[in-house]
Amino acid sequence: MTRADRPDPGDLDLQKQVCFALYAASRALTALYRPVLDRLGLTYPQYLVMLVLWERGPTSVKALGESLQLDSGTLSPLLKRLEAAGLVDRARDPRDERSVVVSLTPSGDRLREQATGIPRAIAEATGVPASELASLRDTLRKITEVATATPDKETT
Amino acid sequence: MTRADRPDPGDLDLQKQVCFALYAASRALTALYRPVLDRLGLTYPQYLVMLVLWERGPTSVKALGESLQLDSGTLSPLLKRLEAAGLVDRARDPRDERSVVVSLTPSGDRLREQATGIPRAIAEATGVPASELASLRDTLRKITEVATATPDKETT
DNA sequence: TGATGTTTAGTTGTGCGCAATCTAAATGCT
DNA sequence: AGCATTTAGATTGCGCACAACTAAACATCA
């Protein structure tokens, strides 16, 4: 709070921006996953959906969206592709016909075994110590929490 | 190296994965930029392109791609939209007709002034101390460097 | 010099993300 | 019960990302 909020031209330096570092790192890490996931026939977002299903079993589209911070505009077509691949089933919840429950097929369940070693392999490939990765993850979670909690902090 | 590389089922916990934290944080931060950039008529990737142009002046498509880690499949249509918006010009380099040089129009140059305060405003909105953001950025850069440097570390 | 290979952009096709809109089912209110 | 409101999911449209391919310009060298 010294003499802040006077815009510094240097602020527009691409390399100084955390947001760009985040954007670049996210794509780079996803690219690391790609050849591995290709063997499972999954894209990275599809893999995230499978992670939730492997962990929690049958899950509604709404709950999937809350876990992954994705809306139905993204999930609906993605789940349709997973269903076409024979990995998941979709069915209306008889107790609430608005809700669609996604569950694993036997084929989707079996895929779990092939996925078990992936996270560790990727973590090691980055060459960053596990402790540093853990603190990185915590900082990222803090940022995500603040950023998503903010409805629209407009000073107008 | 104690008793590692035996796959632990817990490894598939979504919340433990750095990659998901990265993916979620990147989208959350981009969402924070969105209302601000909307006022400039820019998307986030378009803003990144403008950052490079504001900093370096006329730049080839290839150099833009190297700075932002994006290929022509992404940049060509993006630049076409920036050109349609009247913010940039595109012209073949007379010295090497393969290369296309992107430069700012007066309108694109003026936009810089409106963008100057953005990074600081976003950084403050996250509530994370500047020092922590700086170390976060450095860790992210390290990960990006390793991940992009790896051509394909397949043990086959 | 002419054949060959490389570099640079652009195009096409697929799959996200996300805003906006739509439909149907459930819920609340009187 | 009757009707407005809310909720869950799907659809549409646009803009990235990225792989695969094409075409033109340049480089190289027998």
Side-chain angles (χ1 to χ4, degrees), chain B residues 35-154:
Chain B
V36 182
L37 293 179
D38 271 352
R39 284 203 276 265
L40 310 192
L42 294 174
T43 65
Y44 182 71
Q46 289 168 7
Y47 166 72
L48 293 179
V49 168
M50 295 300 284
L51 282 183
V52 175
L53 293 174
W54 287 327
E55 187 182 350
R56 304 220 297 243
T59 308
S60 72
V61 173
K62 176 177 170 54
L64 281 173
E66 284 166 353
S67 295
L68 303 174
Q69 314 271 31
L70 293 171
D71 66 7
S72 67
T74 300
L75 285 174
S76 287
L78 187 157
L79 292 170
K80 205 183 279 184
R81 283 185 284 270
L82 283 181
E83 188 178 36
L87 298 175
V88 307
D89 282 328
R90 290 191 297 164
R92 291 277 166 186
D93 183 345
R95 303 193 182 283
D96 184 343
E97 293 277 347
R98 291 172 301 183
S99 169
V100 167
V101 175
V102 182
S103 52
L104 292 166
T105 62
S107 167
D109 193 60
R110 276 195 301 275
L111 205 60
R112 177 181 188 150
E113 300 156 21
Q114 296 182 53
T116 316
I118 292 180
R120 189 190 304 261
I122 299 287
E124 287 172 357
T126 64
V128 177
S131 62
E132 192 171 346
L133 286 181
S135 81
L136 168 65
R137 188 195 58 208
D138 293 341
T139 303
L140 293 174
R141 280 221 281 256
K142 188 162 35 164
I143 289 177
T144 304
E145 192 180 355
V146 174
T148 55
T150 307
D152 44 353
K153 188 63 168 300
E154 302 302 322

Side-chain angles (χ1 to χ4, degrees), chain A residues 48-59:
Chain A
L48 294 179
V49 168
M50 295 301 282
L51 282 184
V52 175
L53 294 175
W54 286 326
E55 188 182 349
R56 304 219 297 243
T59 308

Side-chain angles (χ1 to χ4, degrees), chain A residues 69-108:
Chain A
Q69 314 271 31
L70 293 172
D71 66 9
S72 69
T74 300
L75 285 174
S76 287
L78 187 157
L79 292 170
K80 206 184 278 186
R81 283 184 285 270
L82 283 182
E83 188 178 36
L87 298 175
V88 307
D89 283 328
R90 290 191 295 166
R92 292 277 166 185
D93 184 345
R95 303 193 184 283
D96 185 342
E97 293 279 347
R98 288 173 303 183
S99 169
V100 168
V101 175
V102 183
S103 52
L104 291 167
T105 63
S107 168

